[in-house]
Amino acid sequence: SRLDDTARAVLAVAGCLAPTPVPLAALAAALPNDEATLRAGLRSLVQHGLLRLSDDRTRWQFAHVLAYGHARERLPAPPSVPPALAEWVMQTLWPHLGRDDGPLDPSGVAAGLEHAAALLKADRHRQLWWSLLNPLLYDLHDRLVELGWSALVEADLAAVAQGFDSLAADAAAE
């Protein structure tokens, strides 16, 4: 059977963040649907064997690498989705860095960096330089160095490298 529009949209957003598991909050940030509609789209994708609930039971991930390859190649996200996801990534990263009296949470930063790297890899239209790549390269990097979180500095630089690799691959293809 065919997927409805909501399920296709959810699949396209999940493809932008693959292979990392996708929380409902990312879908809500990128799509105009309400939570019940997003959950119905997720349920449909699970029933079709495209997504499965992650081990922590709070996020969804692709059931197979071919599913996210298909999502990225055949169901490209609308142009508004990558910038919305980049904003969501940055909004999820900053609260874990002890700013504005927030807690220091290295695991929250690590999860955000995984999403950032995946999103930069999927950025085929080079939309995310200012909204994601630049803050990772400068602001976030400086804060991680200040905190002395060397493993996360390395993860941040790996995400930045992923972004530059994606830019170089796109330039070579042109």
Side-chain angles (χ1 to χ4, degrees):
S1 71
R2 297 183 159 272
L3 297 175
D4 66 20
D5 290 342
T6 301
R8 279 196 300 279
V10 167
L11 192 62
V13 172
C16 290
L17 295 173
T20 61
V22 179
L24 187 60
L27 299 173
L31 297 172
N33 308 87
D34 61 38
E35 182 177 331
T37 303
L38 293 173
R39 286 188 181 279
L42 286 164
R43 187 172 28 262
S44 174
L45 294 170
V46 169
Q47 290 169 347
H48 282 87
L50 297 170
L51 295 182
R52 65 179 178 85
L53 201 55
S54 65
D55 293 339
D56 67 10
R57 309 201 50 80
T58 64
R59 301 171 296 167
W60 290 263
Q61 62 191 64
F62 281 92
H64 193 278
V65 68
L66 293 176
Y68 85 74
H70 174 78
R72 279 193 180 166
E73 298 302 319
R74 304 280 181 155
L75 290 172
S80 62
V81 167
L85 287 173
E87 183 177 337
W88 170 78
V89 166
M90 294 310 297
Q91 287 176 352
T92 61
L93 279 169
W94 287 116
H96 300 293
L97 295 167
R99 294 226 169 137
D100 300 324
D101 296 324
L104 291 172
D105 179 14
S107 64
V109 175
L113 287 172
E114 287 178 8
H115 285 115
L119 185 55
L120 287 168
K121 184 175 184 175
D123 183 26
R124 300 196 190 275
H125 302 292
R126 299 183 229 161
Q127 294 180 276
L128 304 178
W129 170 260
W130 289 111
S131 61
L132 188 58
L133 192 59
N134 189 49
L136 290 177
L137 182 59
Y138 296 106
D139 302 331
L140 184 66
H141 177 267
D142 292 349
R143 180 65 176 148
L144 294 173
V145 168
E146 178 185 317
L147 291 170
W149 291 352
S150 57
L152 290 173
V153 169
E154 187 175 325
D156 177 52
L157 293 176
V160 168
Q162 186 72 57
F164 282 125
D165 288 349
S166 193
L167 289 174
D170 289 345
E174 290 178 353

